[in-house]
Amino acid sequence: VKLMSRIVAPSDAVIRNTKDGTAEYAVNLHDHTYGITSDPLTQFACIFSALIHDVDHQGVSNAQLVAEGSPLGQKYSCSLAEQNSVDLSWKLLMDDQFEDLRH
């Protein structure tokens, strides 16, 4: 949240002091965000991806899931944990309770 606020609404806050004693300001970080501040869909995508990252992660690699015969291996051909995270999160987003968020 702290980083996102610096990107979306930068201030004159000092992020850090450099080795030569000068200050690096949040507004400098804002200059390198490639338009995220002006595109609500991109902002939503960043926040959504952060929220769904590793949803229902099993704590092992995809290769281990395949080796263990996980049902995810039968459902997805690659990136098992990642595909599962996206599917579960999307299903939740489509729930009636999030209708206002979708519109």
Side-chain angles (χ1 to χ4, degrees):
V1 172
K2 189 174 184 180
L3 176 61
M4 194 66 171
S5 68
R6 288 178 178 164
I7 293 171
V8 175
S11 65
D12 290 334
V14 174
I15 295 175
R16 65 176 166 254
N17 290 314
T18 61
K19 290 180 182 179
D20 65 1
T22 60
E24 184 175 354
Y25 293 95
V27 72
N28 295 339
L29 179 61
H30 180 265
D31 292 341
H32 301 283
T33 61
Y34 305 103
I36 189 173
T37 59
S38 60
D39 184 5
L41 184 58
T42 301
Q43 290 175 3
F44 174 76
C46 288
I47 293 169
F48 186 69
S49 63
L51 289 172
I52 70 170
H53 180 75
D54 288 339
V55 167
D56 196 41
H57 196 283
Q58 306 293 313
V60 297
S61 68
N62 289 323
Q64 187 64 33
L65 289 171
V66 172
E68 293 175 355
S70 169
L72 295 178
Q74 296 172 359
K75 187 172 182 180
Y76 307 109
S77 60
C78 64
S79 303
L80 315 179
E82 293 78 7
Q83 289 290 335
N84 186 51
S85 292
V86 171
D87 284 353
L88 289 175
S89 300
W90 191 259
K91 182 177 179 181
L92 182 61
L93 181 63
M94 293 299 110
D95 192 89
D96 289 343
Q97 66 181 329
F98 297 112
E99 184 176 356
D100 289 342
L101 181 62
R102 294 191 308 266
H103 297 284

Coordinates of all heavy atoms in Angstrom, one line a residue:
V1 N 0.8 -1.2 0.0 CA 0.0 0.0 0.0 C 0.9 1.2 0.0 O 0.6 2.2 -0.7 CB -1.0 0.0 1.2 CG1 -1.7 1.3 1.3 CG2 -1.9 -1.1 1.1
K2 N 2.0 1.2 0.8 CA 2.8 2.4 0.9 C 3.5 2.7 -0.5 O 3.5 3.8 -0.9 CB 3.9 2.1 1.9 CG 4.8 3.3 2.2 CD 5.7 3.0 3.4 CE 6.5 4.1 3.8 NZ 7.4 3.8 4.9
L3 N 4.0 1.6 -1.2 CA 4.6 1.8 -2.5 C 3.5 2.3 -3.5 O 3.8 3.2 -4.2 CB 5.2 0.6 -3.0 CG 5.8 0.6 -4.4 CD1 6.9 1.7 -4.5 CD2 6.4 -0.7 -4.8
M4 N 2.3 1.7 -3.5 CA 1.3 2.1 -4.4 C 0.9 3.5 -4.2 O 0.7 4.3 -5.2 CB 0.1 1.1 -4.2 CG -0.9 1.2 -5.3 SD -0.1 0.6 -6.9 CE -1.5 0.6 -7.9
S5 N 0.8 4.0 -2.9 CA 0.4 5.4 -2.7 C 1.5 6.3 -3.2 O 1.2 7.4 -3.7 CB 0.2 5.6 -1.2 OG 1.4 5.5 -0.5
R6 N 2.7 5.9 -3.2 CA 3.8 6.7 -3.7 C 3.8 6.8 -5.2 O 4.1 7.8 -5.8 CB 5.2 6.2 -3.3 CG 5.5 6.4 -1.8 CD 6.8 5.8 -1.5 NE 7.1 6.0 -0.1 CZ 8.0 5.4 0.6 NH1 8.8 4.5 0.0 NH2 8.3 5.7 1.8
I7 N 3.3 5.8 -5.9 CA 3.2 5.8 -7.3 C 2.0 6.5 -7.8 O 2.0 7.3 -8.7 CB 3.1 4.3 -7.8 CG1 4.5 3.6 -7.6 CG2 2.8 4.3 -9.3 CD1 4.5 2.1 -7.9
V8 N 0.8 6.3 -7.1 CA -0.4 6.9 -7.6 C -0.6 8.3 -7.2 O -1.0 9.2 -7.9 CB -1.6 6.0 -7.0 CG1 -2.9 6.7 -7.4 CG2 -1.6 4.6 -7.6
A9 N -0.1 8.7 -6.0 CA -0.3 10.0 -5.5 C 1.1 10.5 -4.8 O 1.2 10.5 -3.6 CB -1.4 10.1 -4.5
P10 N 2.1 10.8 -5.6 CA 3.4 11.1 -5.1 C 3.4 12.4 -4.3 O 2.5 13.2 -4.6 CB 4.3 11.2 -6.3 CG 3.3 11.6 -7.4 CD 2.0 10.9 -7.1
S11 N 4.3 12.5 -3.4 CA 4.4 13.7 -2.7 C 5.9 14.1 -2.7 O 6.7 13.5 -3.4 CB 4.0 13.5 -1.2 OG 4.8 12.5 -0.6
D12 N 6.2 15.1 -1.9 CA 7.6 15.5 -1.8 C 8.3 14.6 -0.7 O 9.4 15.0 -0.3 CB 7.7 17.0 -1.4 CG 7.3 17.9 -2.5 OD1 7.4 17.4 -3.7 OD2 6.8 19.0 -2.3
A13 N 7.8 13.5 -0.3 CA 8.4 12.7 0.7 C 9.7 12.1 0.2 O 9.8 11.7 -1.0 CB 7.4 11.6 1.1
V14 N 10.7 12.0 1.1 CA 11.9 11.5 0.7 C 11.8 10.0 0.9 O 11.4 9.4 1.9 CB 13.1 12.0 1.6 CG1 14.4 11.3 1.4 CG2 13.2 13.5 1.4
I15 N 12.2 9.2 -0.2 CA 12.2 7.8 -0.2 C 13.4 7.3 0.5 O 13.4 6.4 1.4 CB 12.0 7.2 -1.6 CG1 10.7 7.5 -2.2 CG2 12.2 5.7 -1.5 CD1 10.5 7.1 -3.6
R16 N 14.6 7.9 0.1 CA 15.9 7.5 0.7 C 16.9 8.5 0.3 O 16.7 9.3 -0.6 CB 16.3 6.1 0.2 CG 16.6 6.1 -1.3 CD 17.1 4.7 -1.7 NE 17.1 4.6 -3.1 CZ 16.2 3.9 -3.8 NH1 15.3 3.2 -3.2 NH2 16.2 3.8 -5.1
N17 N 17.9 8.6 1.1 CA 19.0 9.4 0.8 C 20.1 8.6 0.0 O 20.4 7.5 0.4 CB 19.7 10.0 2.1 CG 18.7 11.0 2.7 OD1 18.2 11.9 2.0 ND2 18.5 10.9 4.0
T18 N 20.6 9.2 -1.0 CA 21.6 8.5 -1.9 C 23.0 8.6 -1.2 O 23.2 9.3 -0.3 CB 21.6 9.1 -3.3 OG1 22.0 10.4 -3.2 CG2 20.3 9.0 -3.9
K19 N 23.9 7.8 -1.8 CA 25.3 7.8 -1.2 C 25.9 9.1 -1.3 O 26.8 9.5 -0.4 CB 26.1 6.8 -2.0 CG 25.7 5.3 -1.8 CD 26.6 4.4 -2.5 CE 26.1 2.9 -2.3 NZ 26.9 2.0 -3.1
D20 N 25.6 10.0 -2.3 CA 26.2 11.3 -2.4 C 25.5 12.3 -1.5 O 25.8 13.5 -1.6 CB 26.3 11.7 -3.8 CG 25.0 12.0 -4.5 OD1 23.9 11.8 -3.8 OD2 24.9 12.3 -5.7
G21 N 24.6 11.9 -0.7 CA 23.9 12.8 0.3 C 22.7 13.5 -0.3 O 22.1 14.3 0.5
T22 N 22.3 13.2 -1.5 CA 21.1 13.9 -2.0 C 19.9 13.0 -1.7 O 20.0 11.8 -1.4 CB 21.2 14.1 -3.6 OG1 21.4 12.8 -4.2 CG2 22.4 15.0 -3.9
A23 N 18.7 13.6 -1.8 CA 17.5 12.8 -1.5 C 16.8 12.4 -2.8 O 16.8 13.1 -3.8 CB 16.6 13.7 -0.7
E24 N 16.3 11.2 -2.7 CA 15.4 10.7 -3.8 C 14.0 10.8 -3.4 O 13.6 10.3 -2.3 CB 15.8 9.2 -4.1 CG 15.0 8.7 -5.3 CD 15.4 7.3 -5.7 OE1 16.3 6.7 -5.1 OE2 14.7 6.8 -6.6
Y25 N 13.2 11.5 -4.1 CA 11.8 11.9 -3.8 C 10.8 10.9 -4.4 O 11.1 10.4 -5.5 CB 11.5 13.3 -4.2 CG 12.3 14.3 -3.4 CD1 13.5 14.8 -3.9 CD2 11.9 14.7 -2.1 CE1 14.2 15.8 -3.1 CE2 12.6 15.6 -1.4 CZ 13.8 16.1 -1.9 OH 14.5 17.0 -1.2
A26 N 9.7 10.8 -3.8 CA 8.6 9.9 -4.3 C 8.2 10.4 -5.7 O 7.8 9.6 -6.6 CB 7.4 9.9 -3.4
V27 N 8.2 11.7 -6.0 CA 7.8 12.2 -7.3 C 8.7 11.6 -8.4 O 8.2 11.4 -9.5 CB 7.7 13.7 -7.3 CG1 9.1 14.3 -7.3 CG2 6.9 14.2 -8.5
N28 N 10.0 11.3 -8.1 CA 10.8 10.7 -9.1 C 10.4 9.3 -9.5 O 10.4 8.9 -10.6 CB 12.3 10.7 -8.6 CG 12.9 12.0 -8.4 OD1 12.4 13.0 -9.0 ND2 13.9 12.1 -7.6
L29 N 9.9 8.6 -8.5 CA 9.4 7.2 -8.7 C 8.1 7.3 -9.6 O 7.9 6.6 -10.5 CB 9.0 6.5 -7.4 CG 8.4 5.1 -7.5 CD1 9.4 4.2 -8.1 CD2 8.0 4.7 -6.1
H30 N 7.3 8.3 -9.3 CA 6.1 8.6 -10.1 C 6.4 8.8 -11.6 O 5.6 8.4 -12.5 CB 5.3 9.8 -9.5 CG 4.1 10.1 -10.2 ND1 4.0 11.0 -11.2 CD2 2.8 9.6 -10.1 CE1 2.8 11.1 -11.7 NE2 2.0 10.2 -11.0
D31 N 7.5 9.4 -11.9 CA 7.9 9.7 -13.3 C 8.1 8.5 -14.1 O 8.2 8.5 -15.3 CB 9.1 10.7 -13.3 CG 8.7 12.1 -12.8 OD1 7.5 12.4 -12.7 OD2 9.7 12.8 -12.4
H32 N 8.3 7.4 -13.4 CA 8.7 6.1 -14.1 C 7.6 5.0 -14.0 O 7.9 3.9 -14.0 CB 10.0 5.6 -13.5 CG 11.1 6.6 -13.7 ND1 11.8 6.8 -14.9 CD2 11.7 7.5 -12.8 CE1 12.7 7.8 -14.7 NE2 12.6 8.2 -13.5
T33 N 6.4 5.4 -13.9 CA 5.3 4.5 -13.7 C 4.6 4.2 -15.1 O 3.7 3.4 -15.1 CB 4.3 5.0 -12.7 OG1 3.7 6.2 -13.2 CG2 4.9 5.1 -11.4
Y34 N 5.0 4.8 -16.1 CA 4.5 4.4 -17.5 C 3.0 4.6 -17.6 O 2.3 3.7 -18.2 CB 5.0 3.1 -17.9 CG 6.5 2.9 -17.8 CD1 7.1 2.2 -16.8 CD2 7.3 3.5 -18.8 CE1 8.4 2.1 -16.7 CE2 8.6 3.4 -18.8 CZ 9.2 2.7 -17.7 OH 10.6 2.6 -17.7
G35 N 2.4 5.6 -17.0 CA 1.0 5.9 -17.1 C 0.1 5.2 -16.2 O -1.2 5.4 -16.3
I36 N 0.6 4.5 -15.2 CA -0.3 3.8 -14.3 C -1.3 4.8 -13.6 O -2.4 4.4 -13.3 CB 0.4 2.9 -13.3 CG1 -0.5 2.1 -12.5 CG2 1.3 3.8 -12.3 CD1 0.2 1.1 -11.6
T37 N -0.8 6.0 -13.3 CA -1.6 6.9 -12.6 C -2.8 7.5 -13.4 O -3.7 8.0 -12.8 CB -0.8 8.1 -12.1 OG1 -0.2 8.7 -13.2 CG2 0.3 7.6 -11.1
S38 N -2.7 7.3 -14.7 CA -3.8 7.9 -15.5 C -4.7 6.8 -16.1 O -5.6 7.1 -16.8 CB -3.2 8.7 -16.6 OG -2.4 7.9 -17.5
D39 N -4.5 5.6 -15.7 CA -5.3 4.5 -16.3 C -5.9 3.6 -15.2 O -5.3 2.8 -14.6 CB -4.4 3.6 -17.2 CG -5.2 2.5 -17.9 OD1 -6.5 2.5 -17.8 OD2 -4.6 1.7 -18.6
P40 N -7.2 3.8 -14.9 CA -7.9 3.1 -13.8 C -7.8 1.6 -14.0 O -7.7 0.8 -13.0 CB -9.3 3.6 -13.8 CG -9.2 4.9 -14.5 CD -8.1 4.8 -15.5
L41 N -7.9 1.1 -15.2 CA -7.9 -0.3 -15.5 C -6.6 -0.9 -15.1 O -6.5 -2.0 -14.5 CB -8.3 -0.6 -16.9 CG -8.4 -2.1 -17.3 CD1 -9.4 -2.8 -16.4 CD2 -8.7 -2.3 -18.7
T42 N -5.5 -0.2 -15.4 CA -4.2 -0.6 -15.1 C -4.0 -0.6 -13.5 O -3.4 -1.6 -13.0 CB -3.1 0.2 -15.7 OG1 -3.3 0.2 -17.1 CG2 -1.7 -0.2 -15.4
Q43 N -4.5 0.4 -12.9 CA -4.4 0.4 -11.4 C -5.2 -0.8 -10.8 O -4.6 -1.4 -9.9 CB -5.1 1.7 -10.9 CG -4.2 2.9 -11.2 CD -4.9 4.2 -10.8 OE1 -6.0 4.2 -10.2 NE2 -4.3 5.3 -11.0
F44 N -6.3 -1.1 -11.4 CA -7.1 -2.2 -10.9 C -6.3 -3.5 -11.1 O -6.3 -4.4 -10.2 CB -8.5 -2.3 -11.5 CG -9.2 -3.5 -11.2 CD1 -9.8 -3.6 -9.9 CD2 -9.3 -4.6 -12.0 CE1 -10.5 -4.8 -9.6 CE2 -10.0 -5.8 -11.7 CZ -10.6 -5.9 -10.5
A45 N -5.7 -3.7 -12.3 CA -5.0 -4.9 -12.6 C -3.8 -5.1 -11.7 O -3.6 -6.2 -11.2 CB -4.5 -4.8 -14.1
C46 N -3.1 -4.0 -11.3 CA -2.0 -4.1 -10.4 C -2.5 -4.6 -9.0 O -1.9 -5.5 -8.4 CB -1.3 -2.8 -10.3 SG -0.3 -2.4 -11.7
I47 N -3.5 -3.9 -8.5 CA -4.1 -4.3 -7.2 C -4.6 -5.7 -7.2 O -4.4 -6.5 -6.3 CB -5.1 -3.2 -6.7 CG1 -4.4 -1.9 -6.5 CG2 -5.8 -3.7 -5.5 CD1 -5.2 -0.7 -6.3
F48 N -5.4 -6.0 -8.2 CA -6.0 -7.3 -8.3 C -4.9 -8.4 -8.4 O -5.0 -9.4 -7.7 CB -6.9 -7.4 -9.5 CG -7.7 -8.7 -9.7 CD1 -8.7 -9.0 -8.8 CD2 -7.4 -9.6 -10.7 CE1 -9.4 -10.2 -8.9 CE2 -8.1 -10.8 -10.8 CZ -9.1 -11.1 -9.9
S49 N -3.9 -8.2 -9.2 CA -2.8 -9.2 -9.3 C -2.1 -9.4 -7.9 O -1.7 -10.5 -7.6 CB -1.9 -8.9 -10.4 OG -1.2 -7.7 -10.2
A50 N -1.9 -8.3 -7.2 CA -1.3 -8.4 -5.9 C -2.1 -9.2 -4.9 O -1.6 -10.0 -4.1 CB -1.0 -7.0 -5.4
L51 N -3.4 -8.9 -5.0 CA -4.3 -9.6 -4.1 C -4.4 -11.1 -4.3 O -4.6 -11.9 -3.4 CB -5.7 -9.0 -4.1 CG -5.9 -7.6 -3.5 CD1 -7.3 -7.0 -3.9 CD2 -5.7 -7.6 -2.0
I52 N -4.4 -11.5 -5.6 CA -4.6 -12.9 -5.9 C -3.3 -13.7 -6.0 O -3.4 -14.9 -6.1 CB -5.4 -13.1 -7.3 CG1 -4.5 -12.7 -8.5 CG2 -6.7 -12.3 -7.2 CD1 -5.1 -13.1 -9.8
H53 N -2.2 -13.0 -5.9 CA -0.9 -13.7 -5.9 C -0.9 -14.8 -4.9 O -1.0 -14.6 -3.7 CB 0.2 -12.7 -5.7 CG 1.6 -13.4 -5.8 ND1 2.1 -13.7 -7.0 CD2 2.4 -13.7 -4.8 CE1 3.3 -14.3 -6.8 NE2 3.5 -14.3 -5.5
D54 N -0.7 -16.0 -5.4 CA -0.5 -17.2 -4.5 C -1.8 -17.6 -3.7 O -1.6 -18.3 -2.7 CB 0.7 -17.1 -3.6 CG 2.0 -17.2 -4.4 OD1 2.0 -17.8 -5.5 OD2 3.0 -16.8 -3.8
V55 N -2.9 -17.3 -4.2 CA -4.2 -17.7 -3.5 C -4.2 -19.3 -3.6 O -3.9 -19.9 -4.6 CB -5.4 -17.2 -4.3 CG1 -6.7 -17.9 -3.8 CG2 -5.5 -15.7 -4.0
D56 N -4.4 -19.9 -2.5 CA -4.5 -21.4 -2.3 C -3.2 -22.0 -2.7 O -3.1 -23.2 -3.1 CB -5.6 -21.9 -3.2 CG -6.0 -23.3 -2.8 OD1 -6.1 -23.6 -1.6 OD2 -6.2 -24.1 -3.8
H57 N -2.0 -21.3 -2.5 CA -0.7 -21.9 -2.8 C -0.5 -23.1 -1.9 O -0.7 -23.0 -0.7 CB 0.4 -20.9 -2.7 CG 1.6 -21.3 -3.4 ND1 2.5 -22.2 -2.8 CD2 2.2 -21.0 -4.6 CE1 3.5 -22.4 -3.6 NE2 3.4 -21.7 -4.7
Q58 N 0.0 -24.2 -2.4 CA 0.2 -25.4 -1.6 C 1.6 -25.4 -0.9 O 1.9 -26.3 -0.1 CB 0.2 -26.7 -2.6 CG -1.1 -26.8 -3.4 CD -2.3 -27.0 -2.5 OE1 -2.3 -27.9 -1.6 NE2 -3.4 -26.2 -2.7
G59 N 2.4 -24.5 -1.2 CA 3.7 -24.4 -0.5 C 4.8 -25.2 -1.2 O 5.9 -25.3 -0.7
V60 N 4.5 -25.8 -2.4 CA 5.5 -26.5 -3.1 C 5.5 -26.0 -4.6 O 4.6 -25.4 -5.0 CB 5.3 -28.0 -3.1 CG1 5.4 -28.6 -1.6 CG2 3.9 -28.4 -3.6
S61 N 6.6 -26.4 -5.3 CA 6.7 -26.0 -6.7 C 5.7 -26.7 -7.6 O 5.1 -27.7 -7.2 CB 8.1 -26.2 -7.2 OG 8.3 -27.6 -7.3
N62 N 5.5 -26.2 -8.8 CA 4.6 -26.8 -9.7 C 5.1 -28.2 -10.1 O 4.3 -29.2 -10.2 CB 4.5 -26.0 -11.0 CG 3.7 -24.7 -10.8 OD1 2.7 -24.7 -10.0 ND2 4.1 -23.6 -11.4
A63 N 6.4 -28.3 -10.2 CA 7.0 -29.7 -10.5 C 6.7 -30.7 -9.4 O 6.4 -31.8 -9.7 CB 8.5 -29.5 -10.7
Q64 N 6.7 -30.2 -8.2 CA 6.4 -31.1 -7.0 C 4.9 -31.5 -7.1 O 4.6 -32.6 -6.8 CB 6.8 -30.4 -5.7 CG 6.6 -31.3 -4.5 CD 7.5 -32.5 -4.5 OE1 8.6 -32.5 -5.0 NE2 7.1 -33.7 -4.0
L65 N 4.1 -30.5 -7.4 CA 2.6 -30.8 -7.5 C 2.4 -31.9 -8.5 O 1.6 -32.9 -8.3 CB 1.9 -29.6 -7.9 CG 1.7 -28.5 -6.8 CD1 1.1 -27.2 -7.4 CD2 0.9 -29.0 -5.6
V66 N 3.1 -31.9 -9.7 CA 3.0 -32.9 -10.7 C 3.5 -34.2 -10.2 O 2.9 -35.3 -10.3 CB 3.7 -32.5 -12.0 CG1 3.8 -33.6 -13.0 CG2 3.0 -31.3 -12.6
A67 N 4.7 -34.2 -9.5 CA 5.3 -35.4 -9.0 C 4.4 -36.1 -8.0 O 4.4 -37.3 -7.9 CB 6.7 -35.1 -8.4
E68 N 3.7 -35.3 -7.2 CA 2.8 -35.8 -6.1 C 1.5 -36.2 -6.7 O 0.6 -36.8 -5.9 CB 2.6 -34.8 -5.0 CG 3.9 -34.5 -4.2 CD 3.7 -33.4 -3.2 OE1 2.6 -32.8 -3.2 OE2 4.6 -33.1 -2.5
G69 N 1.2 -36.0 -8.0 CA -0.1 -36.4 -8.6 C -1.2 -35.5 -8.1 O -2.4 -36.0 -8.0
S70 N -0.9 -34.2 -7.9 CA -2.0 -33.3 -7.4 C -3.1 -33.2 -8.5 O -2.8 -33.3 -9.7 CB -1.3 -31.9 -7.3 OG -2.3 -30.9 -7.1
P71 N -4.3 -33.1 -8.0 CA -5.4 -32.9 -9.0 C -5.2 -31.7 -9.9 O -5.8 -31.6 -11.0 CB -6.7 -32.7 -8.1 CG -6.3 -33.3 -6.8 CD -4.8 -33.2 -6.7
L72 N -4.4 -30.7 -9.4 CA -4.2 -29.5 -10.2 C -3.4 -29.9 -11.5 O -3.6 -29.3 -12.5 CB -3.4 -28.5 -9.5 CG -4.0 -27.8 -8.2 CD1 -3.1 -26.9 -7.5 CD2 -5.3 -27.2 -8.6
G73 N -2.6 -31.0 -11.4 CA -1.8 -31.4 -12.6 C -2.8 -32.0 -13.7 O -2.4 -31.9 -14.9
Q74 N -3.9 -32.5 -13.3 CA -4.8 -33.0 -14.3 C -5.7 -31.9 -14.8 O -6.2 -32.0 -16.0 CB -5.7 -34.0 -13.6 CG -5.0 -35.3 -13.1 CD -5.9 -36.2 -12.3 OE1 -7.0 -35.9 -12.0 NE2 -5.3 -37.3 -11.8
K75 N -5.9 -30.8 -14.1 CA -6.7 -29.7 -14.5 C -6.0 -28.7 -15.4 O -6.5 -28.2 -16.3 CB -7.2 -29.0 -13.3 CG -8.3 -27.9 -13.6 CD -8.9 -27.4 -12.3 CE -10.0 -26.3 -12.6 NZ -10.6 -25.8 -11.4
Y76 N -4.7 -28.5 -15.1 CA -3.9 -27.5 -15.8 C -2.6 -28.2 -16.4 O -2.1 -29.1 -15.9 CB -3.4 -26.4 -14.9 CG -4.5 -25.8 -14.1 CD1 -4.7 -26.0 -12.7 CD2 -5.5 -24.9 -14.7 CE1 -5.7 -25.4 -12.0 CE2 -6.5 -24.3 -14.0 CZ -6.6 -24.6 -12.6 OH -7.6 -24.0 -11.9
S77 N -2.2 -27.7 -17.6 CA -1.1 -28.3 -18.3 C 0.2 -27.7 -17.9 O 1.3 -28.3 -18.0 CB -1.3 -28.2 -19.8 OG -1.3 -26.8 -20.2
C78 N 0.2 -26.4 -17.4 CA 1.4 -25.8 -16.9 C 1.1 -24.7 -15.9 O -0.1 -24.3 -15.8 CB 2.2 -25.2 -18.1 SG 1.4 -23.9 -19.0
S79 N 2.0 -24.2 -15.2 CA 1.8 -23.2 -14.2 C 0.6 -23.5 -13.3 O -0.3 -22.7 -13.1 CB 1.6 -21.8 -14.9 OG 2.7 -21.5 -15.6
L80 N 0.6 -24.7 -12.7 CA -0.5 -25.2 -12.0 C -1.0 -24.2 -10.9 O -2.1 -23.9 -10.8 CB -0.2 -26.6 -11.3 CG 0.5 -27.6 -12.2 CD1 0.8 -28.8 -11.4 CD2 -0.3 -27.9 -13.4
A81 N 0.0 -23.9 -10.0 CA -0.4 -23.0 -8.9 C -0.9 -21.7 -9.3 O -1.9 -21.1 -8.8 CB 0.8 -22.9 -7.9
E82 N -0.3 -21.1 -10.3 CA -0.6 -19.8 -10.8 C -2.0 -19.8 -11.5 O -2.9 -19.0 -11.2 CB 0.4 -19.3 -11.8 CG 1.8 -19.0 -11.2 CD 2.6 -20.2 -10.9 OE1 2.3 -21.3 -11.3 OE2 3.7 -20.0 -10.3
Q83 N -2.3 -20.8 -12.3 CA -3.6 -21.0 -12.9 C -4.7 -21.2 -11.9 O -5.8 -20.6 -12.0 CB -3.6 -22.2 -13.9 CG -2.8 -21.9 -15.2 CD -3.4 -20.9 -16.1 OE1 -4.6 -20.7 -16.1 NE2 -2.6 -20.3 -16.9
N84 N -4.4 -22.0 -10.9 CA -5.3 -22.2 -9.8 C -5.6 -20.9 -9.1 O -6.8 -20.6 -8.8 CB -4.8 -23.2 -8.8 CG -5.8 -23.6 -7.8 OD1 -6.9 -24.0 -8.1 ND2 -5.3 -23.6 -6.5
S85 N -4.6 -20.1 -8.8 CA -4.8 -18.8 -8.1 C -5.8 -17.9 -8.9 O -6.7 -17.3 -8.4 CB -3.5 -18.1 -7.9 OG -2.7 -18.8 -7.0
V86 N -5.5 -17.8 -10.2 CA -6.3 -17.0 -11.1 C -7.7 -17.5 -11.2 O -8.7 -16.7 -11.0 CB -5.7 -16.9 -12.5 CG1 -6.7 -16.2 -13.5 CG2 -4.4 -16.1 -12.5
D87 N -7.9 -18.8 -11.3 CA -9.3 -19.4 -11.4 C -10.1 -19.1 -10.2 O -11.2 -18.7 -10.2 CB -9.2 -20.9 -11.8 CG -8.9 -21.1 -13.2 OD1 -8.8 -20.2 -14.0 OD2 -8.7 -22.3 -13.5
L88 N -9.5 -19.4 -9.0 CA -10.2 -19.2 -7.7 C -10.5 -17.8 -7.5 O -11.6 -17.5 -7.1 CB -9.4 -19.8 -6.6 CG -9.2 -21.3 -6.5 CD1 -8.2 -21.7 -5.4 CD2 -10.5 -22.0 -6.3
S89 N -9.6 -16.9 -7.8 CA -9.8 -15.5 -7.6 C -10.9 -14.9 -8.5 O -11.7 -14.1 -8.1 CB -8.5 -14.7 -7.8 OG -7.6 -15.2 -6.8
W90 N -10.8 -15.4 -9.8 CA -11.8 -14.9 -10.7 C -13.2 -15.4 -10.3 O -14.2 -14.6 -10.4 CB -11.5 -15.4 -12.1 CG -12.3 -14.7 -13.2 CD1 -13.4 -15.2 -13.8 CD2 -12.2 -13.4 -13.7 NE1 -13.9 -14.3 -14.7 CE2 -13.2 -13.1 -14.6 CE3 -11.2 -12.4 -13.4 CZ2 -13.3 -11.9 -15.3 CZ3 -11.4 -11.2 -14.1 CH2 -12.4 -11.0 -15.0
K91 N -13.3 -16.6 -9.9 CA -14.6 -17.2 -9.5 C -15.1 -16.3 -8.3 O -16.3 -16.0 -8.3 CB -14.4 -18.6 -9.1 CG -15.7 -19.3 -8.6 CD -15.5 -20.8 -8.3 CE -16.8 -21.4 -7.9 NZ -16.7 -22.8 -7.5
L92 N -14.3 -16.0 -7.4 CA -14.7 -15.2 -6.2 C -15.1 -13.8 -6.7 O -16.2 -13.3 -6.3 CB -13.6 -15.0 -5.2 CG -13.9 -14.2 -4.0 CD1 -15.0 -14.9 -3.2 CD2 -12.6 -14.2 -3.1
L93 N -14.4 -13.2 -7.6 CA -14.8 -11.8 -8.1 C -16.1 -11.9 -8.8 O -16.9 -10.9 -8.8 CB -13.7 -11.3 -9.1 CG -13.9 -10.0 -9.7 CD1 -14.0 -8.9 -8.6 CD2 -12.9 -9.7 -10.8
M94 N -16.5 -13.0 -9.4 CA -17.8 -13.1 -10.1 C -18.9 -13.3 -9.2 O -20.1 -13.3 -9.6 CB -17.7 -14.2 -11.2 CG -16.8 -13.9 -12.3 SD -17.2 -12.5 -13.3 CE -15.9 -11.3 -12.8
D95 N -18.7 -13.5 -7.9 CA -19.7 -13.7 -6.9 C -20.6 -12.5 -6.8 O -20.1 -11.4 -7.0 CB -19.1 -14.0 -5.6 CG -20.1 -14.6 -4.6 OD1 -20.3 -15.8 -4.5 OD2 -20.7 -13.7 -3.9
D96 N -21.9 -12.7 -6.5 CA -22.8 -11.6 -6.5 C -22.4 -10.5 -5.5 O -22.7 -9.3 -5.8 CB -24.2 -12.1 -6.0 CG -24.9 -12.9 -7.1 OD1 -24.4 -12.8 -8.3 OD2 -25.8 -13.6 -6.8
Q97 N -21.7 -10.8 -4.5 CA -21.3 -9.8 -3.5 C -20.3 -8.8 -4.0 O -20.1 -7.7 -3.5 CB -20.7 -10.4 -2.2 CG -19.4 -11.2 -2.4 CD -18.9 -11.8 -1.1 OE1 -19.2 -11.3 0.0 NE2 -18.2 -12.9 -1.3
F98 N -19.7 -9.1 -5.2 CA -18.7 -8.2 -5.8 C -19.2 -7.5 -7.1 O -18.5 -7.0 -7.9 CB -17.4 -8.9 -6.1 CG -16.7 -9.4 -4.8 CD1 -16.7 -10.7 -4.5 CD2 -16.2 -8.5 -3.9 CE1 -16.1 -11.2 -3.4 CE2 -15.6 -8.9 -2.7 CZ -15.6 -10.3 -2.4
E99 N -20.6 -7.5 -7.2 CA -21.2 -6.9 -8.4 C -20.8 -5.5 -8.6 O -20.5 -5.0 -9.7 CB -22.7 -7.1 -8.4 CG -23.3 -6.6 -9.7 CD -24.8 -6.9 -9.7 OE1 -25.3 -7.5 -8.8 OE2 -25.4 -6.4 -10.7
D100 N -20.8 -4.7 -7.5 CA -20.5 -3.3 -7.6 C -19.1 -3.1 -8.0 O -18.8 -2.1 -8.8 CB -20.7 -2.6 -6.3 CG -22.2 -2.5 -5.9 OD1 -23.1 -2.6 -6.8 OD2 -22.5 -2.2 -4.7
L101 N -18.2 -3.9 -7.6 CA -16.8 -3.8 -8.0 C -16.6 -4.1 -9.5 O -15.8 -3.4 -10.1 CB -15.9 -4.8 -7.2 CG -14.4 -4.8 -7.4 CD1 -13.8 -3.4 -7.1 CD2 -13.8 -5.9 -6.6
R102 N -17.4 -4.9 -10.0 CA -17.3 -5.3 -11.5 C -17.8 -4.2 -12.4 O -17.6 -4.2 -13.6 CB -18.0 -6.6 -11.7 CG -17.3 -7.8 -11.1 CD -17.9 -9.1 -11.6 NE -19.3 -9.2 -11.6 CZ -20.0 -9.7 -10.6 NH1 -19.4 -10.2 -9.5 NH2 -21.4 -9.8 -10.6
H103 N -18.6 -3.3 -11.8 CA -19.3 -2.3 -12.7 C -18.7 -1.0 -12.4 O -18.5 -0.2 -12.0 CB -20.8 -2.3 -12.5 CG -21.4 -3.6 -12.9 ND1 -21.6 -3.9 -14.3 CD2 -21.9 -4.6 -12.2 CE1 -22.2 -5.1 -14.3 NE2 -22.3 -5.6 -13.1

